[in-house]
Amino acid sequence: MDNGITPHMAERKAKGLLRELAVVERLPGGKLMSGGREFFDLSSNDYLGLSFHPALKEAAFGKISRAFGSGASRLMTGTSGCHADLESAVASLKGKEAALIFNSGYQANVGVISALMGKYDAVFADRLSHASIIDGVKLSGARLFRFRHNDTEHLSGMLRAKRPGVRRAMIVTESVFSMDGDVAPLEELTGLKKEHDAFLMVDEAHATGVFGPEGEGRVHSEGLADNVDILMGTFSKALGSFGGYVAVSGEMKEYLINFSRSFIYSTALPPAVIAANLKAIELVKNSHGRRSKLLSLAGYLRQGLKSLGFEVLGESQIVPVLAGTNEAAMKMSRDLREKGFWAAPVRPPTVPEGEARIRLSISSEHTENMLSELIKAIAYCAGGRLKNA
Ligand SMILES: Cc1ncc(COP(=O)(O)O)c(C=O)c1O
């Protein structure tokens, strides 16, 4: 029987787009082990190295001494005292009245957008929005309008044209973009939200823990929390753990508990994970040294690569180096691996066609020495310019 899978996979392979799983063991110090060899890990989002922090692991072990699984969904018997404590801690970190934990950031985006928006509504999303945002819109049945990346004039025109014809409107963006490492014009977006009576939702998956004096992310540290209706984030990146959340008003939280299907119809995260998340918030608030080291390392790498003529994007701990074709990105990734650097290629559909890249994800566990070796390796792989360095 020709079920269409074989030719579809063959086509994917021919285009250099095949995705494969690599088995690795992450190690402390921003490294990993694979196939018996050690590599520098430039593909993890453990930006502050907190996933290895002993206090985080102790917090989880402390809870495991009772039961591991939560046993039920949140609305049944899956809500423990530490779920409530964690929601208060998230609300306070984010400068909002309340917060709601989801089982992952993906589920948070899908569950919130599909609960709030419906077929008479429209979502205006930055063109580079994460797949979970787009999937949430698809599930909601709302109309989707994608504005040019960070282009508030384009968005403004779209809102003027489309807002009058729909019931509810929502503007969605990421505050630090996952694949480009650049930042959204948040203040302008809050202005448009007010002008057009729209919800504003900001995904702070890559900003939380990294930006703001206490790692609160960009929205709260820029004084904008009151003007953002839904502040979404994840525990799985700088917080070194697992799970997602939204920080919202008390009323919005009640609404989501009643209508967000990815929240309602899924077993609650285990108490051990929740306890680790709570500890992660405490650690992140006190991680000033790790935060400033991280951003200064990223600046060092970005500058070093730019000065050699590479096209480097972003202004955060995410340092994407454009390779152009899928083949070029894959070759650069393979060559870097030979030199001991693990940097996965990112290809369409995750990024636009023709913009395949190596996404270098920096950790505060890395060192300037290691990054200087990386710069030489990238230059060497790209054409041997620094062969004798
Ligand atoms: C911008 C953005 N939003 C949401 C998510 C999903 O978060 P999680 O990994 O917790 O499901 C990710 C992570 O892949 C992301 O990069």
Side-chain angles (χ1 to χ4, degrees):
M1 177 184 125
D2 176 13
N3 54 21
I5 288 179
T6 312
H8 200 181
M9 286 298 284
E11 186 192 335
R12 191 156 249 244
K13 199 168 184 179
K15 285 184 175 164
L17 291 175
L18 197 66
R19 289 170 160 147
E20 287 170 298
L21 295 174
V23 177
V24 308
E25 187 187 343
R26 296 182 54 244
L27 302 173
K31 295 179 186 167
L32 62 80
M33 182 77 104
S34 182
R37 187 176 166 197
E38 208 173 281
F39 297 87
F40 286 108
D41 179 3
L42 290 144
S43 290
S44 110
N45 299 314
D46 188 11
Y47 300 124
L48 303 174
L50 292 186
S51 71
F52 287 93
H53 201 292
L56 203 93
K57 293 186 265 183
E58 265 165 39
F61 287 143
K63 285 285 172 196
I64 289 175
S65 60
R66 291 221 186 137
F68 180 69
S70 66
S73 67
R74 289 287 304 277
L75 282 164
M76 296 299 158
T77 53
T79 298
S80 67
C82 61
H83 282 86
D85 292 345
L86 179 60
E87 286 174 346
S88 303
V90 170
S92 138
L93 179 75
K94 293 285 173 180
K96 297 295 284 184
E97 191 184 356
L100 190 64
I101 308 303
F102 284 76
N103 288 0
S104 69
Y106 183 94
Q107 290 188 37
N109 276 339
V110 165
V112 169
I113 298 172
S114 60
L116 286 170
M117 309 305 281
K119 68 175 176 181
Y120 303 111
D121 305 327
V123 178
F124 299 82
D126 187 286
R127 191 157 281 165
L128 297 189
S129 295
H130 191 258
S132 53
I133 293 173
I134 303 306
D135 291 355
V137 183
K138 284 185 186 164
L139 191 61
S140 75
R143 294 177 70 188
L144 172 62
F145 298 103
R146 302 181 82 163
F147 58 94
R148 285 195 288 272
H149 179 50
N150 278 343
D151 186 340
T152 46
E153 268 192 31
H154 190 216
L155 170 61
S156 172
M158 274 184 167
L159 283 163
R160 273 199 304 276
K162 307 293 179 190
R163 176 68 184 101
V166 294
R167 182 186 62 165
R168 291 181 190 154
M170 177 187 273
I171 301 168
V172 196
T173 190
E174 294 175 31
S175 69
V176 171
F177 282 85
S178 58
M179 292 300 143
D180 283 48
D182 57 350
V183 302
L186 294 176
E187 195 156 350
E188 289 172 54
L189 292 173
T190 61
L192 288 173
K193 163 221 155 47
K194 283 188 213 151
E195 189 184 331
H196 295 277
D197 185 26
F199 288 126
L200 175 57
M201 175 163 178
V202 179
D203 178 332
E204 294 229 271
H206 297 273
T208 307
V210 176
F211 289 89
E214 295 203 316
E216 57 272 53
R218 290 190 52 227
V219 172
H220 187 27
S221 64
E222 291 175 26
L224 299 170
D226 288 344
N227 299 320
V228 175
D229 303 282
I230 304 123
L231 248 173
M232 176 273 171
T234 169
F235 297 102
S236 66
K237 304 191 192 291
L239 284 127
S241 183
F242 187 74
Y245 59 82
V246 289
V248 290
S249 67
E251 184 189 31
M252 178 76 83
K253 175 173 176 170
E254 295 309 313
Y255 181 86
L256 293 173
I257 290 172
N258 280 277
F259 294 105
S260 179
R261 293 167 68 86
S262 71
F263 172 82
I264 299 168
Y265 298 108
S266 194
T267 299
L269 285 176
V273 174
I274 299 295
N277 291 348
L278 196 51
K279 181 54 78 178
I281 290 189
E282 187 189 316
L283 292 173
V284 122
K285 282 184 167 179
N286 294 309
S287 291
H288 314 287
R290 289 180 193 239
R291 253 190 295 287
S292 57
K293 182 178 172 209
L294 171 65
L295 293 175
S296 101
L297 285 175
Y300 173 81
L301 176 63
R302 187 171 273 111
Q303 250 346 91
L305 289 169
K306 277 188 176 168
S307 68
L308 291 176
F310 286 99
E311 198 175 338
V312 188
L313 308 178
E315 46 195 297
S316 64
Q317 75 283 13
I318 300 163
V319 184
V321 185
L322 285 191
T325 64
N326 302 333
E327 292 69 26
M330 286 199 309
K331 180 173 182 334
M332 181 170 285
S333 171
R334 267 195 316 271
D335 291 352
L336 284 175
R337 204 168 287 183
E338 259 170 42
K339 296 198 162 293
F341 298 98
W342 194 283
V346 186
R347 294 160 286 167
T350 307
V351 292
E353 210 61 56
E355 292 186 21
R357 64 197 65 181
I358 300 291
R359 175 187 181 271
L360 301 170
S361 191
I362 308 309
S363 158
S364 59
E365 297 293 286
H366 293 147
T367 62
E368 222 171 85
N369 243 346
M370 171 238 146
L371 294 181
S372 123
E373 291 306 311
L374 172 65
I375 293 169
K376 285 183 204 164
I378 292 176
Y380 180 84
C381 297
R385 258 180 285 174
L386 289 189
K387 227 172 204 159
N388 302 318

